[in-house]
Amino acid sequence: MFERFTKDARTVVVEAQEEARALGHTRIGTEHLLLAITCSTGAPVGTTLARFGVTAESCRAAFDPAPGASDGHFDEDDAEALRAFGIDLDAVRDQAERAFGPGALDAPPPALEPAGRRLFGLGRNPAGLVGHIPFEPRAKKVLERSLREARTLRSDHIGLEHVLLGVLGCDDGATAAYFRRLGVDPAALRAGVLADLGQAA
């Protein structure tokens, strides 16, 4: 399937990994693919995205402060749910701190290999992460869906527009929440993309 991707579409897949790395994320989601599309200069879908207010800056701002993970703090609802199972969250924290020192539960887990071990240290990588970053299953579905979008539009290649339509077709909770934070209705944006593609044809 990947051989049918245009050069720009392949670049977006690679850029999604770079964006995830730059943000310190350990998985590539649909939002990273969308962010990478907005960074593609001269892409015809870029005009449509901009008209809907979807820019690289707005995409970066719409990420959760701690994507894919909690901030390490439990709220009262969490504590109450654990109490229903006979677990006292304060007692667990106290015991962990007695055994491992104050703040033992506050340290984030190590993500990936530190940047100091990179061969050349090239590229944007403020978070200091290197190595392969895997795709979330929902992002993999986007790439599969982009093939279906290309077939539906009777295209012999998979371009940025098809990848974007694949992102917009996602109905999982994480992608829906991301679009809510962006303030964008995916169905309306999809209609705009299809209309603009029709005018360009």
Side-chain angles (χ1 to χ4, degrees):
M1 175 179 79
F2 203 62
E3 66 278 357
R4 295 183 62 184
F5 278 65
T6 63
K7 182 180 178 189
D8 287 343
R10 289 178 190 194
T11 300
V12 158
V13 173
V14 171
E15 276 300 305
Q17 179 169 322
E18 292 306 313
E19 291 293 345
R21 181 175 287 115
L23 291 164
H25 300 171
T26 58
R27 308 281 291 175
I28 301 166
T30 51
E31 57 276 26
H32 299 101
L33 288 167
L34 180 61
L35 173 56
I37 292 169
T38 64
C39 294
S40 297
T41 56
V45 294
T47 305
T48 309
L49 289 168
R51 192 171 71 242
F52 279 81
V54 180
T55 64
E57 294 76 25
S58 68
C59 284
R60 286 187 186 103
F63 278 99
D64 276 337
S70 76
D71 62 1
H73 301 292
F74 291 96
D75 62 17
E76 189 52 41
D77 290 337
D78 296 325
E80 185 177 329
L82 290 171
R83 273 193 297 275
F85 292 104
I87 299 170
D88 181 349
L89 194 56
D90 291 328
V92 170
R93 181 173 288 281
D94 290 343
Q95 188 172 3
E97 289 186 349
R98 276 195 305 275
F100 302 106
L105 297 178
D106 296 335
L112 298 172
E113 185 178 327
R117 299 171 100 176
R118 286 184 78 174
L119 185 57
F120 296 107
L122 300 174
R124 332 172 249 143
N125 191 5
L129 303 176
V130 296
H132 173 72
I133 299 177
F135 281 86
E136 292 278 355
R138 59 193 166 91
K140 288 180 184 177
K141 286 182 183 177
V142 164
L143 300 177
E144 294 166 4
R145 190 177 292 114
S146 66
L147 173 62
R148 289 193 296 276
E149 295 288 354
R151 285 183 179 155
T152 300
L153 295 173
R154 298 186 178 183
S155 183
D156 60 349
H157 66 277
I158 300 170
L160 290 180
E161 62 276 16
H162 306 115
V163 177
L164 176 57
L165 290 169
V167 170
L168 295 171
C170 278
D171 57 0
D172 64 274
T175 303
Y178 184 72
F179 277 113
R180 279 193 302 277
R181 289 190 303 274
L182 269 175
V184 174
D185 175 13
L189 179 53
R190 179 181 173 80
V193 169
L194 290 172
D196 288 353
L197 287 174
Q199 291 174 3

